[in-house]
Amino acid sequence: MTPANAPGKFILFGEHAVVYGQPAIAFPLRQLRATARIDIIPDAPRGHVRLHAPDIHYQAWLHEANEENPLRKIVQLTLDEIHAHISPAIEVQVSSEIPVASGLGSGAAVSTAIVRALCQHFEQPLELARQSELVYEVEKIHHGTPSGIDNTVIVYDQPIYYIRGRQPEHLAISGELTFILADTGLPSNTGQIVGNVRRAWEQDRSTFNTFFNEIGQIAERAKFATAAGDLKSIGKLMDENQELLEQIGVSSDTISGLLKTARDCGAYGAKLSGAGVGGIIITLVQPSASTTIVNALRKAGVIWTGVTKV
Ligand code: PMV
């Protein structure tokens, strides 16, 4: 048995604009993980690979699975990449604690865990940049123009300052940042929302390019604010980023209500995180205020909260 795992993730600044070449900031979320394990199946024909995802009651032979199935795709890409010789047959089993369609990177985390488990099982190490490229190929199934931020932050497993097509930069942080993440319980369909933003951009490029540029400037200023440990500035920048996300059309009344709840309880700043519409919100808080804010958000109807320190 060869187990491997990968963290979830959350985006602090720059979602959507990052698709259009602007910088963004993201963190791994290590308290929620996806796991993959490889087991030998002695009685199955040589060369066979079985996919097994008990969480969703899915089991299939690799060669019989739908070609657009993300599990099939990442397993096949990895086996090809490492020139794996499959004898005896194996089972690739995956499970995940990361809620799906919530902006927490569950798809990229599952893919990353699979890449790692297969590399370990076949004793073929793969450099991080290549792992990230393989996971990116699968991200394309979810939407046609992924920025690559999810696969990058999850594979590198560190806070990143990210610009599409460039090597990720490690994000410097002074002191400690305490975030509360809360799941609205409403789905966030990344493919659909990114598609809507693209259509809106095509109709009015100059307005949308201005929004994206402004978001990019916020992410850039935030890089200096995190390096300085300036919590008030980071919070203010989160609020400004949220206003622009609202103008882009990816927020919702539910999200706005929850953000107001967090701010009214004294949060430094709050915004949606990920594709938006539903999914998670994120708020930067003083550690001493976190219990009050968690309770207020739960009362306001969120289905999951997590406190994370970076
Ligand atoms: O996968 P999500 O929901 O965390 O959103 C990804 C972030 C976007 O900027 C909206 C899309 C992308 O490819 O970067």
Side-chain angles (χ1 to χ4, degrees), residues 202-240:
E202 275 161 1
Q203 273 169 20
D204 186 354
R205 289 191 187 217
S206 98
T207 305
F208 275 73
N209 284 338
T210 307
F211 292 152
F212 296 147
N213 282 334
E214 286 177 19
I215 291 175
Q217 283 163 23
I218 288 172
E220 202 182 325
R221 277 189 273 147
K223 179 164 88 160
F224 295 103
T226 57
D230 182 349
L231 301 179
K232 279 196 181 148
S233 295
I234 301 167
K236 194 162 166 286
L237 290 166
M238 289 171 73
D239 291 343
E240 285 173 26

Side-chain angles (χ1 to χ4, degrees), residues 173-287:
I173 302 165
S174 270
E176 194 171 60
L177 307 177
T178 304
F179 293 108
I180 297 171
L181 307 182
D183 192 341
T184 60
L186 303 173
S188 177
N189 182 329
T190 307
Q192 211 171 62
I193 302 162
V194 170
N196 290 344
V197 172
R198 181 158 297 272
R199 277 183 288 282
W201 171 74
E202 275 161 1
Q203 273 169 20
D204 186 354
R205 289 191 187 217
S206 98
T207 305
F208 275 73
N209 284 338
T210 307
F211 292 152
F212 296 147
N213 282 334
E214 286 177 19
I215 291 175
Q217 283 163 23
I218 288 172
E220 202 182 325
R221 277 189 273 147
K223 179 164 88 160
F224 295 103
T226 57
D230 182 349
L231 301 179
K232 279 196 181 148
S233 295
I234 301 167
K236 194 162 166 286
L237 290 166
M238 289 171 73
D239 291 343
E240 285 173 26
N241 193 160
Q242 171 62 24
E243 271 175 39
L244 286 155
L245 288 164
E246 283 168 19
Q247 287 179 279
I248 286 171
V250 296
S251 194
S252 64
D253 291 348
T254 304
I255 289 174
S256 303
L258 293 172
L259 300 180
K260 182 171 179 327
T261 301
R263 289 181 193 128
D264 287 352
C265 294
Y268 289 112
K271 63 185 276 294
L272 67 82
S273 173
V277 179
I280 57 157
I281 61 147
I282 172 163
T283 163
L284 178 65
V285 302
Q286 248 168 4

Side-chain angles (χ1 to χ4, degrees), residues 35-37 39 50-60 71 91-96 110 114:
T35 306
R37 50 181 275 178
D39 290 289
R50 188 164 65 202
L51 306 174
H52 188 193
D55 297 351
I56 54 168
H57 309 289
Y58 176 80
Q59 187 166 308
L71 296 180
E91 176 177 275
V92 181
Q93 189 182 127
V94 292
S95 62
S96 174
V110 167
I114 290 174

Side-chain angles (χ1 to χ4, degrees), residues 9 11 15-16 18-19 103-104 143 145-150 188 190 194 274-275:
K9 73 101 212 326
I11 297 177
E15 49 276 271
H16 290 290
V18 68
V19 174
L104 289 168
H143 72 100
T145 55
S147 65
I149 194 166
D150 280 23
S188 177
T190 307
V194 170

